[in-house]
Amino acid sequence: MTYSIGQVAEKTGLSTYTLRYYDREGLMPFVKRTPSGRREFTDDNLDFLDLITCLKDTGMQLSEIRHFVELAMQGDSTLETRLNIFKQQQQAVHDQIAQAKQHLAKLDYKVRFFTAACDAGTEAAVSGDCELPGQPIVIDESLRVKKAHPRLNSF
């Protein structure tokens, strides 16, 4: 089955502009054209486009993706090179995940800190260590502006 660029846009969530841009940038040399010049996508093209989107979404530059596509078009003689590209990108994603987890831990800490500050009525009454986000947040009762709530204060 073949698909028009509009159908591919609808199926993938990519705009027709993006698809045309990818084609101009050499990311889709595998897409055939009709005698009138319209792009005709196949299911295999959609699978490859999904891979291109995955690589882009994980931070790979378009020039690197173009290089990968060129290697893929050369066939089995580039298998090891493409495997190495996937391994490098896999490591990059692991690094991104580790960084995102650190950011999330800091945000979790800040939510607990500011929840305590709202409870105390001031930041001045709250202490904790952002570099040790798992440590407890403490309210200095002598600096509290708002009256303590009868609920348990665990931040």
Side-chain angles (χ1 to χ4, degrees):
M1 178 168 197
T2 60
Y3 307 95
S4 69
I5 196 167
Q7 291 169 316
V8 171
E10 191 173 303
K11 283 180 163 293
T12 63
L14 297 171
S15 68
T16 57
Y17 173 83
T18 298
L19 292 166
R20 288 184 185 103
Y21 177 74
Y22 283 0
D23 194 24
R24 278 194 311 273
E25 290 297 309
L27 302 181
M28 300 188 312
F30 44 81
V31 175
K32 305 292 183 229
R33 291 187 181 251
T34 66
S36 62
R38 293 183 182 263
R39 293 168 186 89
E40 274 189 333
F41 294 82
T42 65
D43 288 320
D44 287 342
N45 296 159
L46 293 180
D47 290 342
F48 207 99
L49 190 55
D50 184 55
L51 175 59
I52 290 170
T53 302
C54 171
L55 293 173
K56 184 173 182 315
D57 288 349
T58 59
M60 188 178 277
Q61 298 297 311
L62 291 182
S63 60
E64 297 170 305
I65 296 171
R66 183 182 318 105
H67 176 65
F68 174 83
V69 170
E70 289 166 356
L71 292 170
M73 299 306 289
Q74 292 174 32
D76 289 346
S77 65
T78 65
L79 284 172
E80 295 233 2
T81 305
R82 288 183 281 152
L83 172 61
N84 288 331
I85 290 170
F86 282 130
K87 285 181 177 180
Q88 289 172 356
Q89 196 62 20
Q90 180 185 46
Q91 184 57 53
V93 171
H94 282 296
D95 294 346
Q96 292 168 11
I97 291 169
Q99 185 67 51
K101 285 181 179 181
Q102 289 177 350
H103 292 321
L104 181 58
K106 186 168 277 194
L107 290 171
D108 288 345
Y109 167 84
K110 289 297 188 181
V111 167
R112 291 187 307 120
F113 183 93
F114 279 90
T115 299
C118 288
D119 185 55
T122 180
E123 285 182 68
V126 182
S127 63
D129 188 346
C130 190
E131 298 306 315
L132 299 169
Q135 297 298 313
I137 304 285
V138 178
I139 296 177
D140 181 338
E141 294 300 326
S142 68
L143 298 175
R144 181 185 280 279
V145 174
K146 285 176 141 180
K147 186 176 179 181
H149 294 284
R151 63 180 166 83
L152 290 176
N153 292 330
S154 59
F155 308 104

